[in-house]
């Protein structure tokens, strides 16, 4: 039995010392987990793109289905899902759909989070090989597709095909790992809590602006339902292709509508649409763009209520972050910066080159849009956060009156001090000097005599008693004192006479008088 237990434990480590947090599942090898996490999103994404192309080919009226052709065409479609610019017949295609990009990002993040759980990583640094494996697999797959597209009608740049999918997949995998572990303690300790709160408020404001854009797009499409329905083809295959194209580019349209609601607007070739102006132009025949108006309307500025409401929402969400109004304004500024950066990123991804025809390019003015979005967040949110939050308590009116009445006391003290200084500064007369000197000397003499008065009284009483006793004794014996000898009076204390009458300091004062 003991030998069996020794076989189950490692020879170099005693039983019970095996790592628990970062150990691997005993049933699944580490290499197998890493390979599944790296290849799973690649295979799934490529299969979805190939399936959609096969459906379009099968439903198209004049298209010829070919399995090899569909698989080869799915490669550039997979790169388009990672926002890699393509070349079709020598014409650039940079305006790529955002819906597949959102799908592959979620797919990679989910695969990374699942792999972290299966690997039982205890710390974030243990997941670095996983992120590197996923990113490296996307890099190699992008290079392979770019090499296979050489000589084909649809081509991709070699460097873009290698770098862009690797970066996007690495960021998505990092997001999935952070979702599992949370924010690293090092960053949490070094970042300002108010900055983190501003980051969350900024994400809230960005999603609220996107919701405002989606609401505007939905209303415009519903009001133009007849025009939208007329853009569909009679055949099922063509209608399905147009519907699929509109669904893939729906997030792009939401971003453009968000820019329109906030003010800067968007442009498609010569067409320029914004709240305070309109310049007509041709529009692609896609049902998604059926809601674009043919001319400007005077009521469009009313839509500015939507971004204003978003700013108020952000300010209301941070009103209780801190009791200091200045701290709440800092949170609002961080939220505005996050929204501005998000507008730059989304506006860049939503637009791009669209061939060399009349619809090129499709763009959102990201510079102006970011500044305007920042202002829409900071101004109303700062106003709401400042006035709706906590403030220092105001002092009651009664306390102010008491303070006002108590204020003259220092003035009275200052006046009394000034009068004393003035009295001290005035020259004293000789009589005042003499009186003050006599008073001081008398006080000193009295102070000096006070402790000796009981002893002097006792001596005088004893002396008088002795004299009476001697006189009685002499009378009895018949002895009389000589008449010519005068009686000496009792001596008085010299200190008192000298201090009161014979003071040397007082004589000059009497001469002066």
């Amino acid at each position: 039995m003991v030998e069996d237990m020794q076989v189950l434990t490692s020879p170099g480590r005693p039983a019970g010392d095996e790592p628990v947090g970062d150990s691997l599942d005993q049933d699944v090898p580490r290499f197998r987990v890493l390979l599944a996490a790296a290849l799973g999103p690649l295979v799934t994404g490529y299969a979805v793109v190939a399936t959609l192309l096969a459906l379009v080919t099968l439903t198209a009226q004049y298209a010829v289905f070919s399995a090899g052709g569909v698989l080869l065409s799915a490669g550039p479609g997979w790169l388009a899902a990672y926002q890699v610019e393509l070349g079709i017949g020598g014409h650039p295609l940079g305006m790529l759909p955002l819906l597949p990009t959102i799908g592959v990002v979620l797919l990679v993040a989910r695969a990374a989070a699942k792999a972290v759980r299966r690997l039982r990583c205890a710390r974030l640094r243990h997941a670095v090989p996983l992120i590197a494996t996923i990113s490296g697999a996307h890099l190699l797959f992008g290079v392979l597709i770019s090499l296979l597209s050489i000589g084909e009608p649809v081509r991709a740049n070699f460097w873009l095909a290698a770098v862009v999918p690797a970066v996007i997949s690495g960021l998505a995998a990092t997001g999935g790992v952070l979702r599992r572990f949370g924010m690293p303690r090092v960053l949490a300790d070094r970042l300002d809590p108010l900055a983190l709160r501003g980051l969350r408020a900024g994400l809230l404001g960005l999603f609220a602006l996107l919701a405002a854009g989606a609401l505007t797009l939905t209303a415009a499409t519903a009001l133009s339902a007849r025009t939208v329905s007329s853009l569909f083809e009679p055949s099922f295959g063509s209608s399905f292709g147009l519907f699929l194209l509109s669904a893939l580019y729906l997030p792009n349209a939401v971003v453009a509508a968000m820019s329109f609601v906030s003010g800067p607007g968007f442009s498609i070739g010569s067409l320029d649409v914004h709240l305070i102006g309109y310049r007509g132009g041709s529009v692609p025949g896609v049902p998604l763009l059926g809601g674009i108006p043919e001319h400007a309307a005077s009521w469009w500025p009313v839509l500015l209520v939507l971004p204003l409401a978003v700013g108020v929402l952000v300010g209301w969400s941070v009103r209780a972050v801190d009791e200091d109004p200045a701290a709440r304004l800092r949170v609002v500024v961080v939220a505005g910066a996050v929204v501005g950066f998000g507008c730059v990123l989304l506006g860049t991804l939503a637009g791009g080159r669209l061939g060399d025809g009349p619809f090129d390019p499709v763009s959102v003015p990201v510079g102006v849009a970011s500044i305007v979005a920042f202002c829409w967040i900071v101004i109303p949110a700062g106003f709401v956060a400042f006035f709706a939050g906590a403030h220092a308590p105001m002092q009651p009116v009664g306390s102010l009156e008491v303070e006002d009445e108590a204020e003259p006391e220092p003035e009275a003290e200052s006046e009394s001090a000034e009068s004393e200084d003035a009295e001290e500064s005035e020259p004293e007369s000789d009589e005042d000097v003499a009186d003050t000197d006599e008073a001081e000397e008398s006080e000193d003499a009295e102070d000096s005599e006070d402790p000796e008065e009981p002893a002097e009284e006792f001596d005088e009483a004893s002396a008088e008693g002795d004299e009476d006793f001697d006189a009685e004794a002499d009378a009895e014996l018949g002895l009389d004192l000589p008449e010519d000898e005068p009686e000496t009076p009792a001596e008085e204390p010299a200190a008192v006479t000298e201090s009161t009458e014979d003071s040397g300091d007082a004589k000059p004062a009497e001469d002066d008088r």
Side-chain angles (χ1 to χ4, degrees):
M1 183 67 179
V2 175
E3 294 179 356
D4 295 338
M5 294 298 296
Q6 291 178 354
V7 171
L8 293 176
T9 59
S10 59
R13 180 184 299 168
D17 289 346
E18 291 81 1
V20 178
D22 57 345
S23 63
L24 179 65
D25 192 352
Q26 299 296 330
D27 298 334
V28 182
R30 185 181 184 86
F31 176 76
R32 183 176 174 182
V33 175
L34 293 176
L35 188 63
L39 297 182
L42 294 177
V43 175
T44 304
Y46 195 88
V48 171
V49 174
T51 302
L52 293 177
L53 290 178
L55 289 176
V56 172
T57 304
L58 289 174
T59 56
Q61 187 174 1
Y62 300 105
V64 179
F65 177 78
S66 173
V70 169
L71 292 177
L72 290 176
S73 301
W78 182 86
L79 291 177
Y82 284 89
Q83 296 296 312
V84 178
E85 184 177 351
L86 303 176
I88 302 176
H91 303 285
L93 178 61
M95 184 187 175
L96 302 171
L98 285 177
L99 185 62
T101 305
I102 297 173
V104 295
V105 166
L106 295 177
L107 190 63
V108 173
R110 183 176 179 274
K114 185 177 180 181
V116 167
R117 185 173 62 254
R118 296 183 66 186
L119 292 174
R120 297 181 182 179
C121 297
R123 298 180 180 179
L124 181 62
R125 59 185 178 86
H126 297 159
V128 173
L130 173 64
I131 299 173
T133 302
I134 294 175
S135 181
H138 281 76
L139 186 146
L140 295 177
F141 197 68
V143 169
L144 178 62
I145 293 176
S146 65
L147 294 176
L148 293 176
S149 65
I150 296 176
E152 298 293 332
V154 181
R155 298 188 57 181
N157 183 274
F158 176 81
W159 296 107
L160 291 178
V163 174
V164 175
V167 172
I168 293 178
S169 62
L171 293 176
T174 303
V177 171
L178 290 178
R179 182 183 178 185
R180 175 70 178 175
F181 287 100
M183 181 171 293
R185 185 177 298 275
V186 177
L187 295 178
D189 293 340
R190 294 185 178 182
L191 291 178
D192 188 3
L194 295 178
L196 294 177
R197 188 64 182 85
L199 177 62
R200 291 194 292 268
L203 293 177
L204 173 64
L206 184 61
F207 283 114
L209 283 178
L210 289 174
L215 179 62
T216 304
L217 177 63
T218 303
T221 304
L223 294 175
S224 305
R226 182 175 300 179
T227 303
V228 171
S229 62
S230 64
L231 294 175
F232 286 99
E233 297 292 336
S235 61
F236 174 78
S238 300
S239 299
F240 177 75
L242 291 173
F243 174 79
L244 182 61
L245 186 64
S246 300
L248 294 177
Y249 279 96
L250 181 61
N252 303 63
V254 171
V255 174
M258 179 188 69
S259 180
F260 171 75
V261 169
S262 59
F266 61 93
S267 63
I268 303 176
S270 59
L271 176 67
D272 191 4
V273 181
H274 49 88
L275 289 178
I276 58 176
Y278 183 90
R279 185 180 64 188
S282 57
V283 180
V286 180
L288 182 62
L289 303 178
I292 296 178
E294 298 180 356
H295 53 81
S298 59
W299 58 269
W300 282 358
V302 179
L303 296 175
L304 294 176
V305 176
L306 296 178
L308 179 63
V310 172
V312 172
L313 174 64
V314 172
W316 186 259
S317 66
V318 301
R319 72 188 186 281
V321 170
D322 197 282
E323 294 182 356
D324 186 8
R328 296 196 295 270
L329 292 180
R330 286 172 52 196
V331 175
V332 169
V333 171
V334 173
V338 171
V339 172
F341 177 76
C343 290
V344 171
L345 180 62
L346 293 177
T348 303
L349 295 176
R353 299 294 303 277
L354 193 59
D356 296 324
F359 310 126
D360 181 52
V362 178
S363 63
V364 173
V366 291
V368 179
S370 63
I371 295 174
V372 171
F374 177 82
C375 295
W376 277 121
I377 297 299
V378 170
I379 296 176
F383 184 84
V384 174
F386 185 85
F387 290 101
H391 289 272
M394 298 294 293
Q395 295 182 353
V397 180
S399 62
L400 295 177
E401 294 178 354
V402 172
E403 291 179 359
D404 294 339
E405 293 177 357
E407 285 179 0
E409 293 181 358
E411 296 180 358
E413 294 178 359
S414 62
E415 291 178 358
S416 61
E418 291 177 358
S419 61
E420 292 177 358
D421 295 339
E423 292 176 357
E424 293 177 358
S425 62
E426 292 179 357
E428 297 180 351
S429 61
D430 297 335
E431 297 178 357
D432 296 336
V433 172
D435 295 339
T436 54
D437 293 339
E438 292 177 359
E440 290 176 357
E441 290 179 359
S442 62
E443 290 177 357
D444 295 338
E446 290 176 358
D447 295 337
S448 61
E449 290 175 358
D450 289 340
E452 297 178 356
E453 284 179 1
E456 293 177 353
E457 292 176 357
F458 177 79
D459 294 339
E460 291 176 1
S462 61
E464 292 176 359
D466 294 339
E467 292 177 355
D468 295 338
F469 179 78
D470 294 337
E472 292 176 359
D474 292 340
E476 291 177 358
L477 295 176
L479 297 177
D480 295 331
L481 292 173
E483 297 177 357
D484 57 351
E485 189 175 357
E487 296 180 0
T488 57
E491 295 181 356
E492 295 180 356
V496 176
T497 57
E498 289 179 358
S499 63
T500 56
E501 296 178 357
D502 298 336
S503 174
D505 295 336
K507 290 179 180 180
E510 293 176 358
D511 295 339
D512 292 339
R513 280 186 289 185

